[in-house]
Every structure is written in structure tokens, then in C-alpha cells.
Amino acid sequence: MEVIIQPSASAAADLVAWIIAGQLRAHPRSVLGLATGSTMGGVYSRLVDMHVEEGLDFSGCRTFNLDEYVGLPGEHPNSYRHYMNQHLFNKVNIDLRNTHLPNGMAKDLAAECEKYERLIEQAGGIDLQLLGIGRSGHIGFNEPLSSFNSRTRVESLVPATIEQNLQFFEGIEQMPRQAITMGVGTILECRRCVLLATGRDKAEMVARAVEGPLTSMVPASALQMHSASTVVLDAAAGSQLKGAQHYHWQFENDAKWKAFRGAASVDARG
Ligand code: GLP
């Protein structure tokens, strides 16, 4: 696992967008795993800018989102399909037929989950999976006690998640209590994982996920077992990490990040 602490939420989003753009440029037919949530807004708006200003090409890629609420149709403003269309898909040159989210309206939810796993497999697996972290420590909607071997399935949301995501709904009655989510095991099979977290309210969970013991009580801690996972944070989300100095040293000295460090310092100078 590598941990990168950027000075601000905007710099952290820049880095994540830079990683995704690099993946797309190197492999235009990449299979991207995508995530939703307010944290991802900055990443998608930068990718849209790169598409408009630099011609970043999405025409060859395929995407699979982590999760979707059970009971919300794609047209519902709070569905993750709607979020993705609004923030990214409708603003870049991606073929909507190549974009996948679980169908939370499926009559047979178990069959839908199996189908989603099969689709990912048929696409050749996910090259790069973007992730956020919930206040419960979830990745996707894998709540505490999710097995590290879990596959795509229906998960019941815990109170901390309901409380966190309630702000997007008109009231508690409108908020779904279940979601379809890729499993922790599904996520660990992706070739590369990039988790983005910003803000002080994520700091404690980030510290438990990155520096705490591997435990299904903190599903994001499973990323410690992934051989190519990068955790990108702003200073607030990284504020409870004990190893911050070590992470900074690694980032500053790793040749892989040289081009980004150069671009970021040019931006800062204006
Ligand atoms: C939802 C999604 C998660 C996401 C989390 C973080 O619960 N299922 O995949 O990581 O939100 O949300 P935010 O970025 O709004 O803090």
C-alpha cells in the first residue's frame, strides 16, 4: 500500500484524476472501476476538463461502478446511475452501453449480483478501481463484518451510513436501506486500487484502515492486502496517521510521481 497526503482536497483530487488519465492514455481500452459520493465530484470534474481541453479519450474504455441502491431506478436523482451520468458519462465521449452499474430494480437481486460478477469477468477484470471510504469504514457498500472474500451481493446499510447519506435524500423514508455492492473480494481482484478520502471526519477511519489491524470491522483495511493500492488523502483526512513523515518521504522520492510533482509545482506557481 502507498499513502499520499496532499495539502488540500483539490490537490488530492488532481492526483487521482492524473492517475486515471494516465491509465486511459496508456491503455485506451481500460476497464475502470468507478465510485460515487461527494468526494469523487472533484475527480470527475477534472476528468471532464481533461476531456474538453486535452481530448482525454473515453471512447474505448468500459466502466463498472462499485454499487447501487436497491429500489432506485436509474432516473432517480439519488441513484448512482444518475450521479454517474450527471458527473461524468454525459460530459465525455463514453458509450453509455459500456458503462455498468448494478441494477437495484432487478426482480431477482441475487441473479443480478451474479450477472454483475460475470460481466466483470467477461470484460477481463478491472484494471483500476477508484474507491472512497464511508464513515463506517466501508468501501463500496461493504459494511463492517463484510468478509474479505465477499462477492457482489445485497448489503444492508448500517446506521452510520444511513446518517451520512441521508443528506442527499428528502427524508428518512425515502432513503433505501439496502444496496447492491461489489464484494471486498471482488475489489481485491482489481489490478490496481486507488482510494481517495478528504476531510477531518474521515481521519479516524482512514487511520484505522491504513495503520490498524486487518479486520472485517473496517472493510477498507482489506486494501493493506492488495499489492497495488494507493491511498490519496488531503491533510485533514491524513491528520491521524502516525507514519505521515514516512509517507511523505516515499512520495517525494518515488520516480513514478515525479511528473505529477512537477505539474503540481508549476500549477502552484501559476
Ligand atoms: C457512499 C458510497 C461509497 C463512498 C461513500 C463516501 O456510501 N457507497 O462508495 O465511498 O459514499 O461518500 P462521500 O464521498 O460522500 O463521503
Side-chain angles (χ1 to χ4, degrees):
M1 175 183 268
E2 53 190 349
V3 181
I4 302 173
I5 306 171
Q6 289 288 287
S8 63
S10 134
D14 281 347
L15 174 54
V16 172
W18 185 85
I19 294 171
I20 297 172
Q23 170 75 32
L24 270 180
R25 289 193 185 106
H27 305 285
R29 296 187 55 76
S30 290
V31 179
L32 299 178
L34 299 177
T36 50
S38 33
T39 314
M40 298 303 153
V43 175
Y44 295 138
S45 83
R46 278 159 188 79
L47 288 173
V48 170
D49 288 348
M50 287 186 212
H51 168 69
V52 174
E53 290 159 17
E54 301 159 26
L56 183 65
D57 183 12
F58 289 80
S59 64
C61 79
R62 282 161 294 169
T63 68
F64 288 90
N65 264 77
L66 284 167
D67 45 19
E68 180 59 283
Y69 287 112
V70 167
L72 295 192
E75 312 77 57
H76 192 286
N78 288 123
S79 74
Y80 285 164
R81 160 57 75 183
H82 189 264
Y83 174 103
M84 290 309 303
N85 286 353
Q86 294 295 311
H87 285 83
L88 184 69
F89 299 154
N90 289 345
K91 297 180 173 168
V92 298
N93 65 334
I94 197 164
D95 184 339
L96 275 182
R97 287 169 302 184
N98 291 336
T99 67
H100 304 278
L101 285 93
N103 175 10
M105 296 297 287
K107 280 209 178 70
D108 184 341
L109 291 170
E112 172 64 18
C113 295
E114 274 175 37
K115 187 175 128 197
Y116 204 62
E117 287 275 336
R118 254 194 334 271
L119 276 176
I120 295 173
E121 204 183 303
Q122 282 161 8
I126 293 172
D127 294 307
L128 191 161
Q129 177 68 54
L130 180 59
L131 298 154
I133 183 171
R135 275 185 225 153
S136 68
H138 71 209
I139 44 176
F141 269 128
N142 291 284
E143 299 289 25
L145 288 182
S146 292
S147 159
F148 286 1
N149 289 326
S150 52
R151 311 301 307 186
T152 301
R153 70 199 185 291
V154 175
E155 177 76 323
S156 294
L157 309 183
V158 299
T161 301
I162 294 175
E163 201 181 302
Q164 183 187 345
N165 289 357
L166 188 57
Q167 52 174 316
F168 303 110
F169 291 85
E170 286 188 350
I172 190 89
E173 293 75 32
Q174 279 75 39
M175 167 108 202
R177 301 306 161 93
Q178 290 191 312
I180 296 181
T181 180
M182 278 186 204
V184 179
T186 320
I187 293 168
L188 290 179
E189 275 173 18
C190 302
R191 290 180 194 95
R192 184 171 181 197
C193 291
V194 178
L195 183 142
L196 171 65
T198 58
R200 199 159 293 276
D201 61 332
K202 299 282 174 75
E204 189 200 334
M205 256 325 153
V206 164
R208 289 175 66 188
V210 170
E211 295 178 337
L214 282 175
T215 168
S216 63
M217 284 305 287
V218 181
S221 69
L223 294 176
Q224 293 179 33
M225 298 200 303
H226 196 284
S227 56
S229 65
T230 306
V231 173
V232 180
L233 308 167
D234 68 351
S239 59
Q240 291 190 28
L241 290 171
K242 294 195 174 71
Q245 226 180 336
H246 170 67
Y247 312 140
H248 280 305
W249 192 91
Q250 280 194 318
F251 177 66
E252 292 304 328
N253 289 283
D254 189 333
K256 170 165 98 241
W257 303 115
K258 198 169 169 222
F260 177 77
R261 289 195 305 268
S265 67
V266 168
D267 280 355
R269 286 199 301 269

